[in-house]
Structures are given as structure tokens and as C-alpha cells.
Amino acid sequence: MRLNRVLLSTVLVVVALVIQVSVLARLHLPGAVPDLLLLTVLGLALVYGHVGGALVGFGAGLLADLAPPADHAAGRYALVLCVIGYFAGLVKPETGRLKSAIGPMAVVVAAAIGSTLLYAGVGALVGDTAARHVGLPGLLFSAALYDLLLAPFVVPGVMWLARRADNDPLAESGPAAKAGNISSGWLSSGTGLRIGSQRGFGALKAKARTRSARVGRIKGVKRL
């Protein structure tokens, strides 16, 4: 990965982990804890692809394994996020722009359920049966619900920052362009009305110039 990608990923992962541990984990919501770290990895994987997503996921998971108050074996969450980042990167949009919210929402739900199942499965292999006592169906439902509600506020912003760091032409400058890119990529279908209106305005200007030139010629002929 390039240096700018490493720096941006590190900053985003650290910020997401701090917010998740210090804020979201203390809300004491029923079921699972909203996984801001998972959503950050998904946003980066949808821009960097499967290799970058796997690397970011492994680093983010390892940091979560080592950060207090972690009470599980180191490397467990690193494996989970590495696998999730890899598969999320496989569905990276070919053009780099999200045309619909259906695809990203499906990715978020699949990642939330898949990470919970994989985490519980790895825990069962090492003798951790906490998921059985809490109730796996409740954890799956709450994890998917919380992450799905939080995703529209996290994933588009992470993707936009990742594109800006890569100097991607899809990431236009300015607050208005940021809002337009996020809304067209995540919440709307990206119809391209803005470009069409600009072309239509240019065509009107060209027609007006042609008409003025004709009028000038006619006046010149009459004077002669």
C-alpha cells in the first residue's frame, strides 16, 4: 500500500477504535455493540480493493485485539476483519462510484452477520463460549441492525476521504461536491443531472451566438 493510504487508514482506524471503545461500548445497548471499526474497514475496502481491504482489516483487528479492554486472544479479531476486508474489496465498484444504496447496505448486513459468526466460530475453537450464553440469534440481529443504521453516516465519508487521499478525480473538491458525491453514491442513483444541465446550458449559449451572428450578417447586407 502507498504511504498516503497507510497514513489515512491508520488515522481512521485509530479514531474509529477510540470512539467505539469510549462511546459506543458504554451505551449498553441490548445485544451487540455498534461496530464502527468494521464500517471503517468496509469503507476503505470498497476503495482499495481486496488486497488493501485485507491489509487494513488485519491491522485494524490486531489493534482492537491489543487495545484495552480486550478480553480475548490476540489475533482473533484480526483474522475476522482480514477476511471481511478481503471479501468486501471483491465487490469494489468498477467505476469507483456507488450507483445505488442497495449494494452497500447488503455488504454491511453481510459483513455484520459474517463477522459475528466468524468471531463466534473462532471463539468456539479456542474454548470461548460467551456467544452461546448471550444468545447468537440476538447478537446477529442487533449487530446487523446497529451497523446498518450507522453505515450511511460512516461508509460514504470514509470512501470520500480515501479517494481524496489517492487524488481520485471522482472525489471533487469543496463541501458541496462532497455532499453531492456522498448522496449520489450512497443515497441516490447518480443520474448525472448536473452534467446534463451544464451541457444543455452550453447548447443554449451556442444557439444564441449563432442567431446573433446571423442577425449581424443580415444588418450588414441591408446597409450595403
Side-chain angles (χ1 to χ4, degrees):
M1 294 179 67
R2 293 195 291 260
L3 180 60
N4 56 344
R5 291 188 172 187
V6 173
L7 293 177
L8 177 65
S9 301
T10 302
V11 172
L12 292 177
V13 165
V14 170
V15 171
L17 182 61
V18 170
I19 296 176
Q20 181 169 324
V21 173
S22 60
V23 178
L24 298 179
R26 296 185 180 183
L27 295 178
H28 300 292
L29 297 173
V33 176
D35 202 338
L36 185 61
L37 194 62
L38 173 66
L39 297 178
T40 302
V41 171
L42 290 179
L44 294 173
L46 289 175
V47 176
Y48 297 158
H50 61 283
V51 176
L55 293 175
V56 172
F58 179 81
L62 186 60
L63 185 62
D65 288 331
L66 300 177
D71 56 353
H72 54 268
R76 182 174 169 184
Y77 202 48
L79 173 63
V80 172
L81 287 188
C82 180
V83 174
I84 296 298
Y86 177 84
F87 283 103
L90 292 177
V91 297
K92 170 187 174 183
E94 296 182 359
T95 61
R97 188 184 297 277
L98 298 175
K99 298 181 179 180
S100 164
I102 298 177
M105 285 192 299
V107 172
V108 170
V109 173
I113 296 176
S115 62
T116 304
L117 288 175
L118 186 58
Y119 186 83
V122 175
L125 293 177
V126 297
D128 184 2
T129 59
R132 296 181 183 177
H133 301 294
V134 175
L136 188 57
L139 283 177
L140 293 176
F141 176 77
S142 58
L145 178 62
Y146 295 153
D147 292 347
L148 190 60
L149 294 176
L150 192 60
F153 304 99
V154 178
V155 178
V158 171
M159 294 180 65
W160 182 81
L161 289 173
R163 290 185 182 128
R164 285 298 302 271
D166 280 354
N167 295 322
D168 194 323
L170 289 175
E172 301 171 355
S173 59
K178 175 183 177 182
N181 186 31
I182 293 176
S183 62
S184 64
W186 182 272
L187 300 175
S188 69
S189 59
T191 55
L193 293 178
R194 179 172 174 268
I195 298 176
S197 60
Q198 289 179 347
R199 291 179 178 176
F201 183 70
L204 290 176
K205 293 175 77 175
K207 290 181 180 179
R209 290 177 182 174
T210 303
R211 291 177 181 176
S212 61
R214 291 178 179 176
V215 171
R217 293 176 181 175
I218 294 173
K219 290 182 177 181
V221 173
K222 289 183 177 180
R223 289 178 181 177
L224 292 175

